[in-house]
């Protein structure tokens, strides 16, 4: 290859996308936002007071999505990778400064996701006052199920959210325990970024986070939305 090689060597044209359940269509993904500490019990298990914090956000890379049924390669640079099962919101209509009352009109659909986290690197980042990117935005850090359109299932505000490892319960919660509702999350986020179709929002995890090991089978879900299963690779 020399400097006159065509751009295909320099630019990967593959747009990350999610399957749309029950159809052949794909949902092209633009950005992946995540909410920190959105369930009180999880905030407490991480050593924070859930009553004192407005929502805060971090991001993952869209090409870090991993489809349902996939193998999650155990990532480098860590010895403590944690699972965080989350409801994922897909934005279908963009906007800025979106009012809470109109926020759900911007939702295309929902999915089940895992906010995989290199917890040891996150702890170091917190201690040093450094960004969370290496803890949260590594390769394959966002396993996600197929999307289910809100036109089919509505907007789940309550319902069980859970994660099992090798058939044993690890995380258990209810969407009703979210500190910030989906509508409130969209409203807050849209004051910081212009939302566009294709944006995903991982809405936080209930209590029970913990480490995964090579060979583990992670299976979780959100009642009324769907399920997600991945295997941890070597
Ligand atoms: Mn999370």
């Amino acid at each position: 290859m020399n400097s006159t090689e065509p751009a295909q060597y320099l630019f990967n044209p593959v747009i990350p996308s999610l399957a749309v359940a029950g159809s052949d269509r794909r949902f092209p993904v633009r950005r992946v936002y995540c909410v920190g500490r959105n369930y009180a019990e999880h905030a407490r298990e991480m050593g924070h007071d859930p009553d004192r914090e407005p929502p805060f956000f971090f991001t993952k890379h869209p090409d870090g999505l991993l489809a349902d049924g996939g193998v999650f390669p155990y990532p480098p640079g860590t010895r403590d990778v944690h699972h965080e099962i989350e409801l994922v919101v897909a934005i279908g209509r963009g906007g800025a400064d979106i009012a809470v009352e109109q926020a759900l009109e911007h939702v295309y659909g929902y999915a089940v996701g895992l906010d995989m986290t290199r917890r040891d690197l996150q702890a170091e980042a917190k201690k040093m006052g450094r960004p969370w990117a290496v803890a949260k935005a590594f390769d394959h850090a966002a396993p996600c199920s197929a999307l289910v359109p809100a036109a089919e299932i509505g907007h789940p505000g309550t319902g069980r959210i859970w994660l099992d490892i090798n058939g044993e319960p690890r995380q258990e919660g209810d969407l009703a325990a979210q500190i910030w509702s989906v509508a409130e999350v969209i409203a807050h986020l849209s004051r910081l970024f212009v939302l566009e179709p294709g944006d995903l929002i991982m809405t936080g995890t209930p209590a029970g986070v913990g480490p995964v090991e090579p060979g583990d089978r992670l299976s979780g879900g959100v009642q009324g939305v769907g399920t997600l299963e991945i295997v941890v690779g070597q």
Side-chain angles (χ1 to χ4, degrees), residues 47-60:
H48 295 270
D49 180 347
D51 296 326
R52 289 193 173 181
E53 295 180 344
F56 69 94
F57 302 95
F58 55 92
T59 60
K60 290 176 180 277

Side-chain angles (χ1 to χ4, degrees), residues 1-16:
M1 185 158 60
N2 59 47
S3 61
T4 62
E5 288 292 328
Q8 70 200 54
Y9 293 106
L10 306 173
F11 174 66
N12 180 350
V14 175
I15 296 171

